[in-house]
């Protein structure tokens, strides 16, 4: 066994209730955060420009951030400097207005050009009505994906408790990153929706592995659990590391799509570690020892 | 070991090698596996060392999506089709002209259309947002067509109109000399259709200008109506009457530009008769003092004028008199057998625009830019994104490799794991090059996700196979491998199910991500992961 060891966790010391309490409490807090945000702002998560409409410019200029803010008639929603190799003086500026042509005119008129490169390097706008349609489409997509996954879980295990354990922890895997987004102010974009959908696929892997090892194999419950945990934690931690690196490097380079996918998957996979090995496991243990199967 | 048993034992590994070599050929040999003519055309001759095609997000360019303005009364009972399926074209035209002449609202040229589709259903459309459903229904009622404004009239236009829009936009892009541009349709949830236009090398303002020009060209005769000095307009030629267009050139008659055109032979006699009747070839020959400028044509003048006006989208851009070269054959009646003449434009830009509009034809309806979605990326930043994608992808792969080495501390297990995961990406890239899928940032995210899920599954295989001590025999290996494969298959099925809505729904950037992830999972489960099992068996059973 190597340098990166999966810690062995003594499950026998805790009751099912104690084990399940932690993830359920976190889930409850997450739901509370989302409800609170919904009551306060009308949306559980801050909607990004893909869904709420707005404009974005990537500009190359020697002007300072302060000058950038003042260059536009409308105050920008956010200004982010891009930190990447071979790149200086690049900023991503977002607006709620959708009048792209006047925004890019203002940028070209009021900002200092950096050498020969054009001031406006990238421009993007989404109208409000287009955003609303995207919202509905995205909601439908998530609902269909989740439903499909649930049906598949039931088909695979054909028993209620193990299947519902998978569905419940997948649900929590999505809700926790959503609450994380609300708290940290990351807004929902197409990239984060993709990450949430990917989470449905990714997080179910470790649950399936655990269920399979415990239900379909002979042998001691704790031994099977230990095996499944060793493999599953390796998997999840490896993916988390990859996603963290991708998220952070993409964020520094200003490649938003990859950054949001990376960060959300990282958070979601962390939530998945907890949900799989505490929530799912406690449900399985209850099922194995007290369930109606004997 | 004989060749047959060798193949039997290592067919999975061999399959992987075959796929990787095909992918490498598709990626790196110029022309790839399916060489086609477009490659030789020079369009793809650039500094790109691979056969990969890049989309807007990695190559730069502008994309504008917008819906079409208009509403449609579908399947109207026009009485224009009889029981035998015979179509009464005159009746269709009659309804259309009633729409133009109705008392409820005013329409510009080209804003109404009554058409019949292949199934014999008649549809009426108006292309403006200044008409309400009630007004539209009332106007149709004037033409003797009863429709319920709430039930029979919907927002949007017919599929035929949209197809024509797309064709017109495509030819406009081509006429404007933009290689690699494209126009297509995307359907939103709830049935709204967006027309998406993508071009490299054009900023959003320019593209929006190109798309907002309907390109309805008319030649209007401006002549004295009576002796009191009142003048009147009459459309004598429409864009659809013009058969061929030559590139614009400077005018031989002093300033300005002109576009030489040839009129269809069936429209030519009428034009000729009109010119003769209205006096353009007689007393009006050469009698035009008006001319176009930057602000259009100034109509302040003294005395009678006989002008041919060039009108684009309802705006008069230039005025010319009838020259001797044209007047003589027209008066003699011989012009219609060689019906060519020139249309005037004040400057080169307008002449170019006129030429494009004439060649591409008119857009049947305007686009609604208040609902647009725009994305534009400069080629310089696109190049940076390519570099970043490579860096981010490389870093992610390095991280995964590092983790795997740390975990297993056994090169025999870890290095084939990483090689296998890379092989998956190579096969996917080869596939993308083969089908010429334009790669965007979302695809890059998909590739990284594929490496992630791929390694997950390889970890399952490795742990399962090495579990409970060394693998001593083939039989033990096979049974453990099969068990591992059940989990991998189930996990792959959930990923595919979770991603399939994205692959089908039109959620912009995300389609590419979903498609690559699904393809990657399939390639992984069917080809690369079984091969990893073979490698591991070879290494662990010490044969």
């Amino acid at each position: 066994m190597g340098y990166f060891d999966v810690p062995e966790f003594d499950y026998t010391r805790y009751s099912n209730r104690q084990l399940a309490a932690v993830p359920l409490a976190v889930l409850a807090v997450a739901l509370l955060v989302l409800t609170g945000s919904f009551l306060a702002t009308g949306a559980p998560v801050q909607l990004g420009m893909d869904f709420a409409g707005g404009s974005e410019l990537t500009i190359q200029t020697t002007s300072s951030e302060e000058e950038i803010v003042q260059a536009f008639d409308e105050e920008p929603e956010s200004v982010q400097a891009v930190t990447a190799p071979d790149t200086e003086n690049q900023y991503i500026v977002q607006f709620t207005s959708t009048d792209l042509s006047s925004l890019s005119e203002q940028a070209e008129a009021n900002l200092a050009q950096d050498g020969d490169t054009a001031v406006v390097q990238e421009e993007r706008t989404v109208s409000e009505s287009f955003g609303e349609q995207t919202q509905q489409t995205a909601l439908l997509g998530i609902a269909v994906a989740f439903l499909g996954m649930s049906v598949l879980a039931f088909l695979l295990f054909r028993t209620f408790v193990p299947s519902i354990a998978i569905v419940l922890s997948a649900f929590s895997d999505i809700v926790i990153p959503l609450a994380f987004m609300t708290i940290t102010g990351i807004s929902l974009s197409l990239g984060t929706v993709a990450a949430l959908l990917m989470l449905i696929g990714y997080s179910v892997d470790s649950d399936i592995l655990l269920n399979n090892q415990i239900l379909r194999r002979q042998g001691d419950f704790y031994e099977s659990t230990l095996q499944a945990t060793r493999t599953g934690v390796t998997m999840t931690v490896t993916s988390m590391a990859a996603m963290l690196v991708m998220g952070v490097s993409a964020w520094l380079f200003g490649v938003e799509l990859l950054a949001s996918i990376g960060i959300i998957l990282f958070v979601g996979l962390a939530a998945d570690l907890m949900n799989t090995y505490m929530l799912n496991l406690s449900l399985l243990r209850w099922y194995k020892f007290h369930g109606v199967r004997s | 070991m004989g060749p047959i048993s060798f193949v039997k034992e290592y067919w999975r590994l061999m399959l992987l090698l075959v796929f990787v070599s095909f992918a490498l050929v598709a990626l790196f040999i110029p022309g790839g596996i399916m060489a086609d003519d477009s490659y030789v055309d020079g369009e793809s001759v650039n500094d790109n060392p691979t056969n990969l095609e890049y989309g807007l997000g990695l190559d730069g360019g502008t994309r504008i999506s917008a819906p079409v303005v208009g509403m449609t009364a579908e399947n109207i009972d026009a009485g224009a089709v009889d029981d035998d399926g015979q179509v009464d074209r005159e009746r269709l035209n009659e309804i259309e002209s009633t729409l133009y002449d109705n008392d409820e609202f005013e329409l510009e040229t080209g804003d109404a259309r009554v058409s019949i589709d292949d199934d014999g259903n008649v549809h009426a459309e108006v292309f403006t947002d200044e008409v309400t459903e009630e007004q539209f229904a009332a106007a149709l009622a004037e033409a003797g067509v009863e429709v319920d404004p709430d039930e029979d009239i919907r927002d949007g236009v017919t599929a035929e109109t949209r197809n024509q829009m797309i064709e017109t936009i495509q030819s406009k892009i081509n006429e404007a000399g933009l290689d690699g541009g494209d126009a297509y349709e995307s359907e939103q949830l709830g049935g709204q259709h967006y027309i998406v236009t993508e071009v490299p090398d054009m900023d959003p303002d320019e593209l929006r200008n190109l798309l907002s020009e309907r390109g309805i060209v008319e030649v209007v005769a401006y002549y004295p109506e009576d002796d009191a000095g009142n003048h009147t307009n009459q459309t004598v030629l429409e864009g659809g009457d013009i058969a061929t267009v030559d590139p614009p050139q400077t005018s031989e008659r002093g300033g300005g530009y002109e576009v030489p055109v040839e009129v269809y032979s069936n429209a030519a006699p009428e034009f000729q008769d009109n010119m003769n009747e209205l006096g353009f070839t007689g007393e009006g020959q050469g009698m035009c003092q008006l001319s176009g400028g930057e602000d259009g044509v100034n109509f302040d003048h003294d005395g009678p004028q006989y002008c041919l006006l060039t009108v684009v989208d309802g705006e008069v851009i230039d005025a010319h008199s009838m020259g001797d070269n044209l007047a003589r054959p027209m008066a003699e009646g011989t012009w219609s057998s060689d019906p060519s003449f020139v249309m005037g434009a004040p400057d080169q830009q307008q002449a170019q625009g006129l030429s494009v509009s004439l060649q591409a034809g008119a857009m049947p309806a305007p686009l609604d830019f208040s609902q647009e979605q725009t994305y534009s990326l400069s080629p310089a930043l696109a190049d940076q994104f390519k570099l970043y994608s490579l860096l981010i992808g490389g870093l992610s792969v390095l991280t995964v490799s590092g983790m795997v080495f740390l975990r297993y501390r056994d090169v025999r297990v870890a290095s084939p794991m990483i090689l296998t995961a890379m092989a998956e990406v190579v096969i996917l890239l080869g596939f993308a090059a083969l089908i010429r899928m334009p790669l965007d940032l979302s695809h890059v995210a998909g590739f990284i996700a594929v490496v992630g899920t791929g390694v997950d599954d390889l970890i399952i295989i490795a742990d399962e196979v090495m579990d409970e001590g060394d693998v001593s025999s083939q039989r033990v290996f096979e049974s453990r491998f099969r068990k591992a494969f059940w989990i991998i298959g189930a996990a792959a099925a959930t990923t595919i199910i979770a991603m399939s809505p994205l692959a089908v729904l039109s959620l912009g950037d995300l389609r590419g991500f979903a498609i690559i992830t699904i393809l990657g999972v399939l390639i992984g489960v069917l080809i690369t992961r079984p091969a990893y099992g073979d490698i591991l068996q070879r290494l662990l059973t010490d044969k």
Side-chain angles (χ1 to χ4, degrees):
Chain A
M1 194 55 57
Y3 185 68
F4 152 53
D5 277 331
V6 176
E8 288 184 18
F9 188 75
D10 189 5
Y11 283 108
T12 48
R13 282 171 52 199
Y14 303 94
S15 74
N16 287 335
R17 265 188 209 165
Q18 283 172 323
L19 271 183
V22 181
L24 285 178
V26 176
L27 177 61
V29 170
L31 285 172
L32 211 65
V33 168
L34 294 179
T35 324
S37 156
F38 179 73
L39 292 178
T41 64
V45 190
Q46 195 186 338
L47 294 176
M49 143 186 174
D50 290 328
F51 297 108
S55 308
E56 179 189 277
L57 300 180
T58 300
I59 48 182
Q60 179 88 40
T61 176
T62 49
S63 304
S64 69
E65 278 199 45
E66 215 166 282
E67 286 169 318
I68 293 173
V69 174
Q70 281 160 5
F72 300 97
D73 295 343
E74 182 200 338
E75 192 176 333
E77 278 275 283
S78 70
V79 179
Q80 190 209 327
V82 176
T83 345
D86 294 340
T87 307
E88 268 176 79
N89 303 331
Q90 208 172 69
Y91 303 88
I92 298 174
V93 195
Q94 289 193 327
F95 303 90
T96 47
S97 144
T98 51
D99 188 0
L100 196 60
S101 37
S102 72
L103 286 176
S104 58
E105 263 170 40
Q106 287 165 24
E108 266 151 30
N110 302 335
L111 292 172
Q113 210 173 352
D114 180 14
D116 294 335
T117 44
V119 173
V120 178
Q121 288 285 310
E122 184 230 358
E123 44 193 307
R124 202 155 74 91
T125 181
V126 176
S127 72
E128 213 171 304
S129 65
F130 194 95
E132 267 164 35
Q133 285 175 0
T134 316
Q135 253 179 68
Q136 289 168 5
T137 315
L139 268 179
L140 179 84
I142 293 180
V144 169
F146 194 82
L147 213 70
M149 182 276 300
S150 313
V151 169
L152 195 70
F154 274 91
L155 285 179
L156 286 173
F157 293 103
R158 308 220 175 125
T159 35
F160 185 72
V161 176
S163 317
I164 205 73
I166 292 183
V167 175
L168 186 64
S169 67
F171 177 71
S172 178
D173 286 351
I174 295 175
V175 170
I176 292 172
L178 275 175
F180 172 81
M181 286 165 63
T182 311
I183 294 169
T184 51
I186 298 177
S187 47
L188 195 71
S189 64
L190 285 176
T192 46
V193 168
L196 292 174
L197 285 170
M198 195 68 214
L199 261 180
I200 295 179
Y202 254 141
S203 72
V204 168
D205 286 11
S206 53
D207 295 312
I208 289 180
L209 181 78
L210 183 69
N211 281 13
N212 179 66
Q213 227 78 338
I214 289 174
L215 298 176
R216 293 168 52 115
R217 303 274 161 92
Q218 287 96 31
D220 178 50
F221 175 86
Y222 291 103
E223 212 165 284
S224 310
T225 306
L226 186 67
Q227 255 177 49
T229 314
R230 205 183 292 141
T231 310
V233 171
T234 310
M235 270 162 56
T236 310
V237 171
T238 309
S239 304
M240 276 171 74
M243 288 307 144
L244 187 66
V245 168
M246 162 168 144
V248 170
S249 54
W251 183 73
L252 287 175
F253 296 168
V255 189
E256 276 165 278
L257 184 76
L258 300 188
S260 41
I261 291 183
I263 298 295
I264 294 307
L265 269 175
F266 177 78
V267 175
L269 287 172
D272 181 52
L273 271 184
M274 176 185 75
N275 285 322
T276 306
Y277 301 107
M278 294 179 90
L279 183 62
N280 194 355
L281 190 101
S282 63
L283 282 168
L284 277 179
R285 187 164 66 176
W286 177 85
Y287 176 75
K288 190 92 180 176
F289 293 125
H290 307 284
V292 267
R293 221 174 63 150
S294 57
Chain B
M1 194 189 287
I4 293 174
S5 58
F6 181 81
V7 169
K8 242 183 173 172
E9 199 164 341
Y10 294 112
W11 65 272
R12 297 186 185 115
L13 194 53
M14 288 163 70
L15 194 65
L16 174 70
L17 290 177
V18 168
F19 269 83
V20 171
S21 5
F22 264 110
L24 289 175
V25 170
L27 265 178
F28 292 112
I29 309 292
I33 289 175
M34 292 198 298
D36 66 34
D37 295 340
S38 72
Y39 204 84
V40 194
D41 275 351
E43 188 196 319
S44 306
V45 176
N46 49 29
D47 51 359
N48 187 354
T50 64
N51 290 338
L52 287 174
E53 308 234 334
Y54 298 109
L56 213 59
L58 287 175
D59 224 6
T62 297
R63 171 174 56 220
I64 292 184
S65 329
V68 182
V69 175
M71 64 176 99
T72 307
E74 266 179 326
N75 282 336
I76 55 175
D77 184 13
V81 186
D82 65 20
D83 296 337
D84 305 333
Q86 285 293 318
V87 180
D88 183 355
R89 294 270 164 208
E90 272 179 39
R91 170 68 182 144
L92 296 182
N93 287 336
E94 186 190 315
I95 301 173
E96 200 172 292
S97 27
T98 316
L99 284 176
Y100 280 116
D101 300 336
N102 78 88
D103 309 326
E104 299 279 336
F105 49 84
E106 289 200 14
L107 290 177
E108 303 262 330
T109 312
D111 277 350
R113 171 178 166 143
V114 178
S115 59
I116 184 159
D117 64 20
D118 294 340
D119 300 330
N121 298 320
V122 178
H123 311 292
E125 295 162 276
V126 287
F127 308 123
T128 168
D129 45 15
E130 282 159 20
V131 178
T132 65
E133 289 175 352
E134 283 73 21
Q135 288 175 318
F136 186 26
L140 283 170
E142 274 181 51
V145 179
E146 291 306 322
V147 293
D148 181 333
D150 296 324
E151 301 208 349
D152 302 330
I153 296 182
R154 63 169 178 87
D155 271 344
V157 298
T158 57
E160 196 197 355
T161 303
R162 288 196 304 270
N163 288 338
Q164 271 187 26
M165 300 267 310
I166 289 168
E167 274 171 37
T168 311
I169 292 174
Q170 271 166 347
S171 46
K172 265 177 178 252
I173 302 172
N174 290 339
E175 296 304 335
L178 294 163
D179 266 346
D182 194 18
Y184 53 92
E185 182 180 75
S186 119
E187 190 179 352
Q188 297 291 310
L189 208 66
Q192 200 173 17
H193 293 263
Y194 279 74
I195 306 284
V196 187
T197 313
E198 290 186 355
V199 289
D201 309 326
M202 205 182 218
D203 72 39
D205 278 344
E206 287 173 304
L207 182 59
R208 207 175 289 117
N209 277 343
L210 185 80
L211 292 177
S212 54
E213 279 163 14
R214 290 280 290 279
I216 301 174
V217 180
E218 291 166 294
V219 175
V220 173
Y222 179 79
Y223 59 95
E225 193 177 19
D226 48 36
D227 295 332
N230 294 320
H231 285 69
T232 190
N233 284 324
Q234 187 186 340
T235 303
V236 285
L237 211 55
E238 289 175 358
D241 297 331
I242 289 171
T244 57
V245 185
D246 283 337
Q249 56 193 43
T250 47
S251 175
E252 290 161 19
R253 296 174 291 180
Y257 283 76
E258 55 190 30
V259 179
V261 297
E262 192 171 317
V263 179
Y264 276 115
S265 55
N266 59 348
E270 199 191 332
F271 180 49
Q272 178 175 285
D273 292 350
N274 265 328
M275 289 291 95
N276 289 335
E277 269 167 41
L278 299 176
F280 274 77
T281 54
E283 70 269 33
Q285 189 191 322
M287 296 287 286
C288 181
Q289 294 156 357
L290 309 181
S291 67
E294 260 183 44
D295 306 322
V297 175
N298 184 359
F299 279 95
D300 290 337
H301 58 78
D302 302 322
Q305 297 288 328
Y306 288 85
C307 293
L308 287 173
L309 309 179
T310 308
V311 181
V312 179
D313 292 340
E315 250 175 74
V316 182
I317 62 163
D318 205 5
H320 276 288
S321 60
M322 171 76 78
D324 183 45
N325 290 348
L326 188 56
R328 206 161 353 103
M330 276 204 166
E332 287 165 4
T334 56
W335 177 81
S336 59
S337 52
D338 177 21
S340 58
F341 75 112
V342 295
M343 291 178 75
D347 54 45
Q348 197 194 350
Q349 201 188 347
Q350 299 212 42
Q352 187 65 42
L354 179 65
S355 163
V356 167
S357 296
L358 283 171
Q359 291 189 32
M363 286 233 275
L367 290 171
D368 182 1
F369 289 106
S370 70
Q371 296 191 52
E372 73 174 333
Q373 192 205 23
T374 312
Y375 180 72
S376 175
L377 182 69
S378 77
L381 191 57
D383 278 341
Q384 284 180 25
F385 279 172
K386 268 185 235 169
L387 176 74
Y388 297 163
S389 307
L390 210 61
L391 273 175
I392 295 170
L395 278 173
S396 310
V397 170
L398 266 179
T399 316
V400 169
S401 318
M403 292 298 287
V404 169
F405 273 108
L406 285 181
R407 170 74 174 78
Y408 290 100
R409 273 286 168 107
D410 186 347
V411 185
R412 287 190 308 166
V413 179
S415 50
M417 204 177 254
I418 287 151
L419 282 178
T420 315
M422 301 290 284
E424 227 162 282
V425 175
V426 170
I427 295 176
L428 264 181
L429 281 172
F431 185 77
L434 186 69
I435 65 166
R436 298 176 179 279
M437 178 191 266
L439 296 184
D440 266 321
L441 281 173
S442 66
H443 297 89
V444 174
F447 286 120
I448 296 173
V450 164
V451 175
T453 47
V455 167
D456 275 9
D457 288 357
L458 301 180
I459 290 173
I460 295 178
I461 296 179
D463 278 7
E464 198 77 356
V465 167
M466 295 187 304
D467 188 38
E468 293 160 20
D470 278 343
V471 185
S472 49
S473 74
Q474 167 93 13
R475 200 183 51 78
V476 173
F477 176 86
E478 288 281 343
S479 104
R480 288 183 187 171
F481 183 72
R482 219 169 292 129
K483 278 183 196 161
F485 220 73
W486 188 87
I487 307 173
I488 293 169
T494 43
T495 307
I496 291 173
I497 284 197
M499 281 295 137
S500 49
L502 274 192
V504 182
L505 295 172
S506 56
L507 266 180
D509 289 347
L510 297 190
R511 199 178 241 164
F513 173 70
I515 290 172
I516 290 292
T517 312
I518 291 177
L519 276 176
V521 167
L522 283 175
I523 290 175
V525 168
L526 299 175
I527 300 160
T528 55
R529 291 162 212 179
Y532 177 69
D534 264 11
I535 299 173
L536 207 59
Q537 176 186 15
R538 171 95 184 128
L539 292 174
L540 294 179
T541 51
D542 295 328
K543 277 206 292 187

